[in-house]
């Protein structure tokens, strides 16, 4: 589990998302990226990466969590999940 402050991409480029995954040292793993809300750059940059699943915090489920090697979640998404599960 990796908690990040936020995931904001300046362009909708897949290479920018890959660079982010490499920075987190998870580029070679199956990654579940959980965010509070989508933005266009995030959707467009992540859609061509086969080992990455992008999901909203209110759609998180056990199947997605178990099926990945690493879950990367933003702080806002984590707070949301904690509120729902508490």
């Amino acid at each position: 589990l990796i908690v990040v402050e936020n995931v904001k991409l300046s362009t909708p480029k897949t290479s920018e998302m890959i660079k982010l995954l490499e920075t987190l040292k998870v580029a070679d793993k199956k990654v579940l990226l959980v965010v509070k809300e989508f933005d266009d750059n995030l959707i467009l940059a992540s859609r061509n990466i086969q080992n990455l699943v992008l999901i909203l915090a209110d759609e998180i489920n056990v199947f997605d969590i178990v099926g990945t090697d690493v879950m990367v979640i933003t702080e806002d998404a984590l707070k949301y999940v904690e509120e729902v599960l508490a």
Side-chain angles (χ1 to χ4, degrees), residues 7-64:
V7 178
K8 298 287 184 198
L9 302 177
S10 58
T11 63
K13 304 252 184 209
T14 302
S15 60
E16 190 173 349
M17 177 58 79
I18 291 172
K19 190 180 293 186
L20 172 66
L21 295 175
E22 288 172 348
T23 301
L24 295 172
K25 297 181 180 19
V26 296
D28 60 338
K29 300 181 188 296
K30 289 181 70 176
V31 179
L32 177 65
L33 178 56
V34 184
V35 295
K36 178 79 166 126
E37 56 188 36
F38 291 141
D39 68 19
D40 290 338
N41 288 347
L42 187 60
I43 293 170
L44 294 172
S46 63
R47 68 180 175 180
N48 291 328
I49 303 174
Q50 289 189 332
N51 63 324
L52 175 68
V53 175
L54 177 64
I55 193 168
L56 289 172
D58 62 353
E59 296 175 350
I60 196 167
N61 60 69
V62 175
F63 180 76
D64 288 329

